[in-house]
PDB file of all heavy atoms in Angstrom:
ATOM      1  N   ASN A 232     -20.346   4.373   0.851  1.00  0.00           N
ATOM      2  CA  ASN A 232     -21.099   4.116  -0.354  1.00  0.00           C
ATOM      3  C   ASN A 232     -20.744   2.843  -1.009  1.00  0.00           C
ATOM      4  O   ASN A 232     -21.531   2.016  -1.461  1.00  0.00           O
ATOM      5  CB  ASN A 232     -20.764   5.319  -1.276  1.00  0.00           C
ATOM      6  CG  ASN A 232     -21.879   5.480  -2.358  1.00  0.00           C
ATOM      7  OD1 ASN A 232     -23.064   5.412  -1.970  1.00  0.00           O
ATOM      8  ND2 ASN A 232     -21.470   5.849  -3.505  1.00  0.00           N
ATOM      9  N   LEU A 233     -19.373   2.495  -0.838  1.00  0.00           N
ATOM     10  CA  LEU A 233     -18.836   1.265  -1.475  1.00  0.00           C
ATOM     11  C   LEU A 233     -19.460   0.079  -0.691  1.00  0.00           C
ATOM     12  O   LEU A 233     -19.912  -0.936  -1.310  1.00  0.00           O
ATOM     13  CB  LEU A 233     -17.311   1.221  -1.312  1.00  0.00           C
ATOM     14  CG  LEU A 233     -16.561  -0.046  -1.951  1.00  0.00           C
ATOM     15  CD1 LEU A 233     -16.952  -0.255  -3.355  1.00  0.00           C
ATOM     16  CD2 LEU A 233     -15.057   0.135  -1.692  1.00  0.00           C
ATOM     17  N   GLU A 234     -19.434   0.128   0.645  1.00  0.00           N
ATOM     18  CA  GLU A 234     -20.081  -0.930   1.460  1.00  0.00           C
ATOM     19  C   GLU A 234     -21.480  -1.158   1.114  1.00  0.00           C
ATOM     20  O   GLU A 234     -21.925  -2.347   0.992  1.00  0.00           O
ATOM     21  CB  GLU A 234     -19.931  -0.638   2.816  1.00  0.00           C
ATOM     22  CG  GLU A 234     -18.520  -0.776   3.432  1.00  0.00           C
ATOM     23  CD  GLU A 234     -18.330  -0.460   4.943  1.00  0.00           C
ATOM     24  OE1 GLU A 234     -19.430  -0.499   5.653  1.00  0.00           O
ATOM     25  OE2 GLU A 234     -17.245  -0.147   5.372  1.00  0.00           O
ATOM     26  N   SER A 235     -22.315  -0.186   0.887  1.00  0.00           N
ATOM     27  CA  SER A 235     -23.632  -0.318   0.496  1.00  0.00           C
ATOM     28  C   SER A 235     -23.828  -0.908  -0.934  1.00  0.00           C
ATOM     29  O   SER A 235     -24.665  -1.851  -1.117  1.00  0.00           O
ATOM     30  CB  SER A 235     -24.370   1.075   0.411  1.00  0.00           C
ATOM     31  OG  SER A 235     -24.427   1.688   1.645  1.00  0.00           O
ATOM     32  N   TRP A 236     -22.994  -0.533  -1.767  1.00  0.00           N
ATOM     33  CA  TRP A 236     -22.969  -1.144  -3.130  1.00  0.00           C
ATOM     34  C   TRP A 236     -22.634  -2.654  -3.111  1.00  0.00           C
ATOM     35  O   TRP A 236     -23.314  -3.467  -3.784  1.00  0.00           O
ATOM     36  CB  TRP A 236     -21.953  -0.336  -4.028  1.00  0.00           C
ATOM     37  CG  TRP A 236     -21.889  -0.792  -5.516  1.00  0.00           C
ATOM     38  CD1 TRP A 236     -22.949  -1.024  -6.324  1.00  0.00           C
ATOM     39  CD2 TRP A 236     -20.783  -1.101  -6.271  1.00  0.00           C
ATOM     40  NE1 TRP A 236     -22.539  -1.424  -7.507  1.00  0.00           N
ATOM     41  CE2 TRP A 236     -21.217  -1.445  -7.472  1.00  0.00           C
ATOM     42  CE3 TRP A 236     -19.397  -0.990  -5.891  1.00  0.00           C
ATOM     43  CZ2 TRP A 236     -20.350  -1.756  -8.620  1.00  0.00           C
ATOM     44  CZ3 TRP A 236     -18.530  -1.255  -7.111  1.00  0.00           C
ATOM     45  CH2 TRP A 236     -18.972  -1.749  -8.374  1.00  0.00           C
ATOM     46  N   LEU A 237     -21.686  -2.980  -2.395  1.00  0.00           N
ATOM     47  CA  LEU A 237     -21.274  -4.486  -2.212  1.00  0.00           C
ATOM     48  C   LEU A 237     -22.388  -5.256  -1.825  1.00  0.00           C
ATOM     49  O   LEU A 237     -22.479  -6.633  -2.232  1.00  0.00           O
ATOM     50  CB  LEU A 237     -20.066  -4.607  -1.348  1.00  0.00           C
ATOM     51  CG  LEU A 237     -18.699  -4.224  -2.001  1.00  0.00           C
ATOM     52  CD1 LEU A 237     -17.644  -4.120  -0.894  1.00  0.00           C
ATOM     53  CD2 LEU A 237     -18.347  -4.933  -3.208  1.00  0.00           C
ATOM     54  N   LYS A 238     -23.377  -4.707  -1.122  1.00  0.00           N
ATOM     55  CA  LYS A 238     -24.509  -5.563  -0.552  1.00  0.00           C
ATOM     56  C   LYS A 238     -25.427  -6.039  -1.753  1.00  0.00           C
ATOM     57  O   LYS A 238     -26.153  -7.026  -1.478  1.00  0.00           O
ATOM     58  CB  LYS A 238     -25.261  -4.830   0.550  1.00  0.00           C
ATOM     59  CG  LYS A 238     -24.518  -4.471   1.752  1.00  0.00           C
ATOM     60  CD  LYS A 238     -25.339  -3.695   2.737  1.00  0.00           C
ATOM     61  CE  LYS A 238     -24.430  -3.433   4.011  1.00  0.00           C
ATOM     62  NZ  LYS A 238     -25.132  -2.508   4.962  1.00  0.00           N
ATOM     63  N   ILE A 239     -25.324  -5.461  -2.826  1.00  0.00           N
ATOM     64  CA  ILE A 239     -26.349  -5.909  -3.939  1.00  0.00           C
ATOM     65  C   ILE A 239     -25.794  -7.227  -4.570  1.00  0.00           C
ATOM     66  O   ILE A 239     -26.495  -7.883  -5.394  1.00  0.00           O
ATOM     67  CB  ILE A 239     -26.457  -4.838  -5.008  1.00  0.00           C
ATOM     68  CG1 ILE A 239     -25.212  -4.699  -5.871  1.00  0.00           C
ATOM     69  CG2 ILE A 239     -27.056  -3.489  -4.396  1.00  0.00           C
ATOM     70  CD1 ILE A 239     -25.408  -3.857  -7.215  1.00  0.00           C
ATOM     71  N   PHE A 240     -24.501  -7.577  -4.274  1.00  0.00           N
ATOM     72  CA  PHE A 240     -24.024  -8.762  -4.911  1.00  0.00           C
ATOM     73  C   PHE A 240     -24.222 -10.084  -3.992  1.00  0.00           C
ATOM     74  O   PHE A 240     -23.781 -10.079  -2.823  1.00  0.00           O
ATOM     75  CB  PHE A 240     -22.420  -8.722  -5.158  1.00  0.00           C
ATOM     76  CG  PHE A 240     -22.140  -7.594  -6.010  1.00  0.00           C
ATOM     77  CD1 PHE A 240     -21.903  -6.348  -5.689  1.00  0.00           C
ATOM     78  CD2 PHE A 240     -22.180  -7.745  -7.510  1.00  0.00           C
ATOM     79  CE1 PHE A 240     -21.497  -5.315  -6.585  1.00  0.00           C
ATOM     80  CE2 PHE A 240     -22.043  -6.748  -8.334  1.00  0.00           C
ATOM     81  CZ  PHE A 240     -21.676  -5.471  -7.936  1.00  0.00           C
ATOM     82  N   ASP A 241     -24.945 -11.035  -4.431  1.00  0.00           N
ATOM     83  CA  ASP A 241     -25.127 -12.348  -3.685  1.00  0.00           C
ATOM     84  C   ASP A 241     -24.012 -13.186  -3.765  1.00  0.00           C
ATOM     85  O   ASP A 241     -23.697 -13.789  -2.766  1.00  0.00           O
ATOM     86  CB  ASP A 241     -26.528 -13.012  -4.165  1.00  0.00           C
ATOM     87  CG  ASP A 241     -27.700 -12.101  -4.065  1.00  0.00           C
ATOM     88  OD1 ASP A 241     -27.726 -11.307  -2.987  1.00  0.00           O
ATOM     89  OD2 ASP A 241     -28.669 -12.184  -4.897  1.00  0.00           O
ATOM     90  N   GLY A 242     -23.540 -13.428  -4.942  1.00  0.00           N
ATOM     91  CA  GLY A 242     -22.498 -14.422  -5.197  1.00  0.00           C
ATOM     92  C   GLY A 242     -21.087 -13.780  -5.290  1.00  0.00           C
ATOM     93  O   GLY A 242     -20.938 -12.555  -4.908  1.00  0.00           O
ATOM     94  N   PRO A 243     -20.203 -14.596  -5.721  1.00  0.00           N
ATOM     95  CA  PRO A 243     -18.795 -14.018  -5.940  1.00  0.00           C
ATOM     96  C   PRO A 243     -18.842 -12.887  -6.883  1.00  0.00           C
ATOM     97  O   PRO A 243     -19.621 -12.790  -7.895  1.00  0.00           O
ATOM     98  CB  PRO A 243     -18.053 -15.260  -6.531  1.00  0.00           C
ATOM     99  CG  PRO A 243     -18.800 -16.381  -6.165  1.00  0.00           C
ATOM    100  CD  PRO A 243     -20.209 -15.993  -6.050  1.00  0.00           C
ATOM    101  N   ILE A 244     -17.907 -11.913  -6.742  1.00  0.00           N
ATOM    102  CA  ILE A 244     -17.819 -10.665  -7.494  1.00  0.00           C
ATOM    103  C   ILE A 244     -16.694 -11.007  -8.779  1.00  0.00           C
ATOM    104  O   ILE A 244     -15.771 -11.364  -8.301  1.00  0.00           O
ATOM    105  CB  ILE A 244     -17.614  -9.535  -6.826  1.00  0.00           C
ATOM    106  CG1 ILE A 244     -18.678  -9.155  -5.793  1.00  0.00           C
ATOM    107  CG2 ILE A 244     -17.151  -8.277  -7.534  1.00  0.00           C
ATOM    108  CD1 ILE A 244     -18.412  -8.020  -4.808  1.00  0.00           C
ATOM    109  N   ASP A 245     -17.171 -10.551  -9.830  1.00  0.00           N
ATOM    110  CA  ASP A 245     -16.178 -10.670 -10.986  1.00  0.00           C
ATOM    111  C   ASP A 245     -15.903  -9.154 -11.434  1.00  0.00           C
ATOM    112  O   ASP A 245     -16.889  -8.371 -11.408  1.00  0.00           O
ATOM    113  CB  ASP A 245     -16.706 -11.423 -12.073  1.00  0.00           C
ATOM    114  CG  ASP A 245     -15.683 -11.675 -13.132  1.00  0.00           C
ATOM    115  OD1 ASP A 245     -14.512 -11.756 -12.931  1.00  0.00           O
ATOM    116  OD2 ASP A 245     -16.063 -11.718 -14.435  1.00  0.00           O
ATOM    117  N   VAL A 246     -14.704  -8.864 -11.759  1.00  0.00           N
ATOM    118  CA  VAL A 246     -14.359  -7.387 -12.162  1.00  0.00           C
ATOM    119  C   VAL A 246     -13.641  -7.675 -13.572  1.00  0.00           C
ATOM    120  O   VAL A 246     -12.622  -8.524 -13.609  1.00  0.00           O
ATOM    121  CB  VAL A 246     -13.419  -6.854 -11.242  1.00  0.00           C
ATOM    122  CG1 VAL A 246     -13.009  -5.476 -11.619  1.00  0.00           C
ATOM    123  CG2 VAL A 246     -14.084  -6.739  -9.846  1.00  0.00           C
ATOM    124  N   GLU A 247     -13.973  -6.853 -14.552  1.00  0.00           N
ATOM    125  CA  GLU A 247     -13.262  -6.814 -15.808  1.00  0.00           C
ATOM    126  C   GLU A 247     -13.002  -5.359 -16.238  1.00  0.00           C
ATOM    127  O   GLU A 247     -13.767  -4.486 -15.864  1.00  0.00           O
ATOM    128  CB  GLU A 247     -14.235  -7.350 -16.926  1.00  0.00           C
ATOM    129  CG  GLU A 247     -14.790  -8.779 -16.716  1.00  0.00           C
ATOM    130  CD  GLU A 247     -15.684  -9.098 -17.704  1.00  0.00           C
ATOM    131  OE1 GLU A 247     -15.313  -9.299 -18.946  1.00  0.00           O
ATOM    132  OE2 GLU A 247     -16.992  -9.139 -17.346  1.00  0.00           O
ATOM    133  N   PHE A 248     -11.901  -5.288 -16.781  1.00  0.00           N
ATOM    134  CA  PHE A 248     -11.420  -3.888 -17.366  1.00  0.00           C
ATOM    135  C   PHE A 248     -11.153  -3.963 -18.842  1.00  0.00           C
ATOM    136  O   PHE A 248     -10.668  -5.069 -19.275  1.00  0.00           O
ATOM    137  CB  PHE A 248     -10.174  -3.356 -16.739  1.00  0.00           C
ATOM    138  CG  PHE A 248     -10.160  -3.159 -15.178  1.00  0.00           C
ATOM    139  CD1 PHE A 248      -9.279  -3.468 -14.424  1.00  0.00           C
ATOM    140  CD2 PHE A 248     -11.356  -2.550 -14.684  1.00  0.00           C
ATOM    141  CE1 PHE A 248      -9.270  -3.317 -13.031  1.00  0.00           C
ATOM    142  CE2 PHE A 248     -11.411  -2.295 -13.264  1.00  0.00           C
ATOM    143  CZ  PHE A 248     -10.330  -2.662 -12.451  1.00  0.00           C
ATOM    144  N   LYS A 249     -11.380  -2.918 -19.595  1.00  0.00           N
ATOM    145  CA  LYS A 249     -10.938  -2.914 -21.010  1.00  0.00           C
ATOM    146  C   LYS A 249     -10.796  -1.503 -21.408  1.00  0.00           C
ATOM    147  O   LYS A 249     -11.160  -0.537 -20.687  1.00  0.00           O
ATOM    148  CB  LYS A 249     -11.919  -3.667 -21.852  1.00  0.00           C
ATOM    149  CG  LYS A 249     -13.250  -3.039 -22.070  1.00  0.00           C
ATOM    150  CD  LYS A 249     -14.152  -3.802 -23.055  1.00  0.00           C
ATOM    151  CE  LYS A 249     -15.434  -3.112 -23.339  1.00  0.00           C
ATOM    152  NZ  LYS A 249     -16.404  -3.975 -24.201  1.00  0.00           N
ATOM    153  N   ASP A 250     -10.100  -1.312 -22.466  1.00  0.00           N
ATOM    154  CA  ASP A 250      -9.802   0.070 -23.018  1.00  0.00           C
ATOM    155  C   ASP A 250      -9.131   0.943 -22.048  1.00  0.00           C
ATOM    156  O   ASP A 250      -9.519   2.101 -21.834  1.00  0.00           O
ATOM    157  CB  ASP A 250     -11.155   0.765 -23.476  1.00  0.00           C
ATOM    158  CG  ASP A 250     -11.752   0.001 -24.678  1.00  0.00           C
ATOM    159  OD1 ASP A 250     -11.113  -0.802 -25.342  1.00  0.00           O
ATOM    160  OD2 ASP A 250     -12.975   0.167 -24.886  1.00  0.00           O
TER     161      ASP A 250
END
Side-chain angles (χ1 to χ4, degrees):
N232 208 41
L233 180 58
E234 286 179 21
S235 294
W236 181 47
L237 286 172
K238 290 178 183 175
I239 72 167
F240 298 95
D241 295 326
I244 294 174
D245 189 32
V246 179
E247 301 172 74
F248 298 137
K249 67 180 184 180
D250 300 337

